[in-house]
């Protein structure tokens, strides 16, 4: 366990505490070093991704209010690299005078899909048709109106495709319902592609918005991010950016907000919200004037926000997924020598097949060539073979 807060005298730099020690916290730690601010993480174990590199590591359990209070005592601002902290514990921290950003009222919309859908509907924000369900009869009644297949989603706890089931008919829906978890059902949208927009908002109300990106998903996992989204009409891009800024303000978000979108023939629909740095924004480390990680820190500290503009005509990010061979580091030599323009980020996580263990980013002109380079680099790191 690192030291737990020292006497804070005049001129002391602020300390941001991030609950969670995954790769998002690891990359936020790197941004904190550049800003010269204090940064700490609440980690469940000393070998977690951020705990490996962050001097201010506090070992504890984010589910326990006592551990959260002890961690927060050494921090000026508390923020998150995931949305799984119990809402009651967050409210308890706020009632004790601890600064939590985003606050519990805002974060609830990223923690509870039913609450999020109901609030967005009340705001008139386009979303897939949905309904809370607890019985097969309710699911089949929804399908009678909207058609099969339907999408069942766990109200809480889902991420990276977990907690989401596409059900072709009643038998599949009955199987999901047998788990006994709280669910909503949504229409299975005929989408053209998936998009995302990342925004940031400070307590003083300043906002910043990054270019809209295309996210390429497979098996519920983001595989690639293309910035800016190729072929997106300027009017649609501007509408998505305005929507992101509007949602940050309406929901009272402080920090980074990622809005995942479906592009359909009828327009844009909001799919999910994340109130933290997000996989769709990893490209910003090299590809934007200010990374999403630095922007999040600026926002939660109420510092002036940085420029979100592209640093090159295009940026492509491809996730590195674990393969059968866990020994990634020796393959780094080939990737760096073969394409010196590729930027590699490895997270220090144990390799498991399909697990996100890093990402690569390339910048330049010509989106097709950039995708090919990034795919080849990520593939070689994963498996030792280049598949463009």
């Amino acid at each position: 366990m690192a030291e737990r807060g020292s006497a804070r005298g005049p001129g002391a730099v602020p300390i941001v505490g991030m609950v969670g020690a995954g790769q998002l916290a690891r990359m936020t730690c790197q941004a904190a070093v550049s800003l010269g601010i204090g940064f700490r993480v609440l980690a469940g174990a000393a070998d977690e991704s951020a705990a490996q590199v962050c001097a201010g590591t506090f070992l504890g359990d984010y589910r326990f209010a006592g551990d959260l209070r002890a961690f927060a005592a050494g921090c000026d601002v508390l923020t998150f690299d995931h949305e799984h902290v119990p809402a009651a514990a967050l409210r308890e921290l706020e009632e004790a005078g601890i600064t939590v950003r985003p606050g519990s009222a805002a974060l609830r919309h990223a923690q509870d899909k039913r609450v999020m859908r109901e609030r967005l509907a009340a705001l008139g924000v386009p979303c897939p048709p949905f309904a809370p369900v607890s019985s097969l009869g309710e699911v089949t009644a929804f399908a009678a109106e909207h058609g099969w297949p339907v999408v069942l989603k766990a109200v809480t706890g889902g991420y990276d495709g977990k907690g989401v089931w596409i059900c072709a008919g009643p038998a599949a829906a009955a199987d999901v319902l047998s788990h006994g978890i709280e669910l909503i059902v949504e229409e299975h949208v005929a989408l053209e592609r998936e998009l995302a927009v990342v925004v940031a908002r400070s307590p003083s109300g300043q906002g910043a918005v990054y270019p809209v990106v295309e996210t390429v998903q497979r098996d519920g996992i983001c595989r690639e991010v293309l910035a800016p989204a190729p072929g997106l009409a300027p009017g649609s891009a501007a509408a998505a950016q305005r929507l992101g800024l509007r949602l940050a303000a309406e929901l009272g978000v402080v920090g980074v907000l990622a809005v995942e979108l479906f592009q359909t023939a009828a327009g844009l629909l909001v799919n999910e919200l994340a109130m933290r740095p997000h996989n769709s924004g990893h490209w910003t480390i090299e590809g934007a004037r200010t990374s999403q990680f630095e922007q999040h820190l600026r926002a939660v500290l109420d510092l002036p926000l940085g420029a979100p503009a592209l640093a090159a005509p295009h940026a492509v990010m491809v996730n590195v997924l674990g393969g059968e061979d866990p020994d990634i580091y020796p393959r780094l030599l080939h990737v760096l020598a073969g394409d010196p323009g590729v930027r590699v980020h490895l997270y220090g996580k144990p390799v498991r097949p399909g697990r996100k263990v890093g990402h690569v980013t390339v910048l330049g002109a010509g989106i097709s060539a950039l995708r090919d380079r990034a795919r080849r680099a990520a593939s070689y790191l994963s498996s030792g073979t280049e598949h463009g």
Side-chain angles (χ1 to χ4, degrees):
M1 184 185 299
E3 82 271 12
R4 298 165 69 173
S6 54
R8 308 297 302 286
V13 299
I15 295 175
V16 175
M18 182 167 268
V19 178
Q23 64 262 27
L24 300 180
R26 183 184 180 108
M27 289 180 275
T28 307
C29 180
Q30 293 169 316
V33 170
S34 296
L35 286 175
I37 63 174
F39 187 74
R40 297 180 177 181
V41 296
L42 177 61
D47 62 352
E48 291 182 2
S49 182
Q52 296 171 26
V53 300
C54 182
T57 295
F58 186 107
L59 297 182
D61 191 328
Y62 68 85
R63 296 167 296 182
F64 295 163
D67 286 355
L68 287 168
R69 286 194 303 271
F71 176 63
C75 306
D76 295 283
V77 178
L78 208 64
T79 191
F80 313 94
D81 92 334
H82 60 75
E83 290 98 351
H84 305 312
V85 181
L90 293 180
R91 290 192 295 270
E92 183 179 323
L93 293 176
E94 290 169 328
E95 291 166 0
I98 293 164
T99 302
V100 179
R101 293 174 174 163
S104 61
L107 196 62
R108 189 176 179 217
H109 299 93
Q111 294 178 318
D112 188 310
K113 288 181 172 58
R114 178 176 178 176
V115 168
M116 181 264 288
R117 283 283 183 253
E118 290 173 345
R119 181 67 186 279
L120 295 188
L123 292 172
V125 174
C127 296
F130 78 99
V133 289
S134 58
S135 70
L136 184 59
E138 290 172 331
V139 176
T140 55
F142 182 90
E145 180 177 358
H146 299 282
W148 294 99
V150 299
V151 181
L152 288 177
K153 291 184 176 181
V155 167
T156 60
Y159 67 96
D160 276 354
K162 298 178 176 67
V164 178
W165 299 269
I166 298 175
C167 299
D175 183 61
V176 176
L177 287 160
S178 71
H179 300 327
I181 58 177
E182 189 177 3
L183 298 164
I184 61 171
V185 62
E186 292 184 355
E187 181 180 72
H188 188 255
V189 174
L191 57 92
E192 296 173 348
R193 59 176 170 173
E194 296 191 51
L195 305 172
V197 60
V198 172
V199 306
R201 181 175 177 272
S202 69
S204 57
Q206 185 186 9
V209 57
Y210 290 94
V212 181
V213 301
E214 178 179 349
T215 63
V216 180
Q217 313 279 335
R218 190 160 64 249
D219 299 327
I221 298 175
C222 178
R223 302 301 180 97
E224 303 176 17
V225 176
L226 315 178
L232 183 63
S236 296
Q241 291 176 310
R242 287 194 299 269
L243 176 61
L245 291 169
R246 177 193 170 200
L247 289 177
E250 293 275 12
L251 302 180
V253 177
V254 173
V256 161
L257 167 69
V259 183
E260 298 180 38
L261 301 161
F262 292 148
Q263 183 177 2
T264 74
L268 299 178
L269 303 177
V270 173
N271 179 30
E272 300 285 356
L273 303 177
M275 297 181 187
R276 50 171 170 76
H278 190 256
N279 197 186
S280 66
H282 289 357
W283 65 272
T284 63
I285 298 173
E286 293 87 18
R289 300 298 180 187
T290 308
S291 80
Q292 67 163 343
F293 302 99
E294 179 178 334
Q295 201 78 289
H296 186 72
L297 291 169
R298 289 187 184 214
V300 300
L301 289 171
D302 207 12
L303 295 170
L305 299 182
L310 284 156
H314 298 282
V316 173
M317 187 282 300
V318 175
N319 281 316
V320 177
L321 303 184
E324 297 300 328
D325 181 0
D327 199 7
I328 288 179
Y329 187 79
R331 298 195 284 274
L332 190 61
L333 173 64
H334 172 90
V335 169
L336 298 182
D339 190 343
V342 171
R343 297 298 302 272
V344 177
H345 298 262
L346 298 176
Y347 305 150
K349 297 164 67 173
V351 174
R352 295 197 299 266
R355 186 185 198 188
K356 292 178 188 174
V357 293
H359 73 267
V360 301
T361 305
V362 292
L363 310 178
I367 196 77
S368 295
L370 295 178
R371 290 183 80 177
D372 182 67
R373 289 168 57 196
R375 286 172 172 176
R376 288 179 181 277
S379 174
Y380 198 87
L381 288 169
S382 294
S383 65
T385 58
E386 291 187 2
H387 295 295

